[in-house]
Amino acid sequence: MSTVKDQSEHQNHAQNIIVIHPGSHYLRIGRASDVNPVRILHAIARRRKPGGETHRDGVMPPVVEKTKELLQELEDGRLQITHTLQSCVQSNGQRRYATPPQQIAAFNRRSQPEVLPDGQTDWCDKDGRDVVIGEDVLQLNPNGEYNVHFPIRRGELNLHAGVGGSLFAVMSDLQSIWEHVLHTRLEIKSSELKHYRAVLVIPDIYNRAHLREYVTLLLNQIGFGCCFLVQDHVAATFGAGLGYACVVDVGDGKTSVSCVEDGISHPNTRVRFDYGGADVTQVFYWLLQKCAFPYRECNEQMPLDGVLLRRLKEEFGHVNLDVCGSVEKSFTVQHPATPKRHYTLQVGDEAMVAPLSIFYTELLAITGANRTPPKTQNRCSSQPHPEDCFDAEYIRETGRRNKDNLEQSAIDSGALANTDAPDEDLVVDGLEQEREAKSNDRDYLHPGGQLVGLDQAVIQSIERCPTDELKRKMYSCILIVGGGIKFAGIASWLQSQLARKIPAAYRSEQSIVSSPKDMDPEITSWKGAAVMSCLESVVELWLTEPEWTRYGLRILREKAVFMW
């Protein structure tokens, strides 16, 4: 009887906890008791003031100028992957074969669209709304009078110099989107929010100033009763039911790797790259164009076309070595103000080459993503803030003074008479951490300044673990989450690449988990945060509005479940 009562209380408790996982492309939000979160496009459109400045964030990252040198680099990258695939064998031991691209292109050039009846719709600009949120943004005329904003890009707040790019404007956009979902999809009234708790999933590499804005948004602006923050990689291990794992998170606009053990993400192992599923989509579109993509009017910077290409990448893309030659596929294009059309095309190894661009980053040159330096935890913003008494600036300055005092004391006592430097264990100098962070960045780059592939990033992250035992554990359990590389066979490919590169001392049985408990890897982190929020051990983690208003960042530093 008591068990039933406990379950009922647990369910009621979970219904009053809202878990929010904001991403570059989608927002996932729902009650901790829900099986799946609400998922909506994380975008907002605001009607432009007469004569106002225009700003439209695209669904896809823009391509760089296609110079002769860039096209040569892309072609070299494509040929490298193609040759690698040709040297692979199928599961039956036979060598793979591929249909020549010219043959596929000939078929696609002959392919004409079939116009379907009763398929025409209109743009939804005419309903008079000043603010449009979620998927409805896609139905707005791209040449109309709305500015379009994606508040998060590449895993961070989308701050820019254009209209709507200030910190205040971006936080206002987040508030509008999140409140819209709370009121319309979760059916929670504003007056009831003070009875709800919020859990926010944040990146493993975070900006302290932005965390302050997030907590202020949840407690002061939206009005939750209390909240706490959890890193996405830590949440992912809870969602997968793992005590430890090297977490590989490939989202729409970023890829991050870190080693998590017992709910702690080891700071030195954290790295984030500014590429993700959207960059793979651009690679896929370039490959489709090379084999005469029959939808010739496609423009990847038009929102609906960007979403279409993303869907085709997810439906066609795979890393299944048993699929050889060309495969016939079809898709439908339905845009407002134009007839609905049905296309047929052939796709060959393009469906495998695009997903593998995460491993062979030369192809990511199409968006310039392979030239962007990686971010490590030590490089994460540590701007001093008056509320945070013990920030990095304070530690660096006091560390320097302590070092000088210790040196002087040692000299006075004669202890340093025959030495040139003090004992390194005496102090931790913030400048040393900065130098180490810059060397970390270099490690994640090829000599030519390009980012390493995903397999190499995993190895370099694990090699930063403090002990051999921890390295061994991490090599034995690698967790893939995020919606950026949901391709059949991607886990097997990563496993085969790692098997050849792992140091001999750690070669044991590898376990690569890509869909834990048959769960969609897109929601593993969201699910983990929901599980975490209902544990008895998190009672002390909740931040209340009075605490936040009184103590600010100091209370977040004390209560955060991650190292500040």
Side-chain angles (χ1 to χ4, degrees), residues 483-538:
I485 52 169
K486 290 199 300 182
F487 303 110
I490 201 78
S492 300
W493 184 274
L494 176 59
Q495 189 159 12
S496 68
Q497 295 298 305
L498 290 176
R500 296 189 289 113
K501 298 173 183 174
I502 288 176
Y506 306 117
R507 281 182 192 157
S508 59
E509 191 62 36
Q510 282 173 254
S511 172
I512 296 190
V513 185
S514 57
S515 54
K517 304 176 183 176
D518 295 326
M519 190 190 308
D520 184 338
E522 278 193 39
I523 67 166
T524 307
S525 294
W526 181 90
K527 200 73 174 177
V531 169
M532 232 181 129
S533 68
C534 298
L535 298 175
E536 289 182 12
S537 55
V538 303

Side-chain angles (χ1 to χ4, degrees), residues 402-423 426:
N402 289 343
K403 187 174 178 180
D404 293 342
N405 293 341
L406 284 164
E407 282 183 28
Q408 190 59 48
S409 300
I411 290 169
D412 291 345
S413 66
L416 278 185
N418 299 317
T419 57
D420 296 321
D423 188 334
L426 292 177

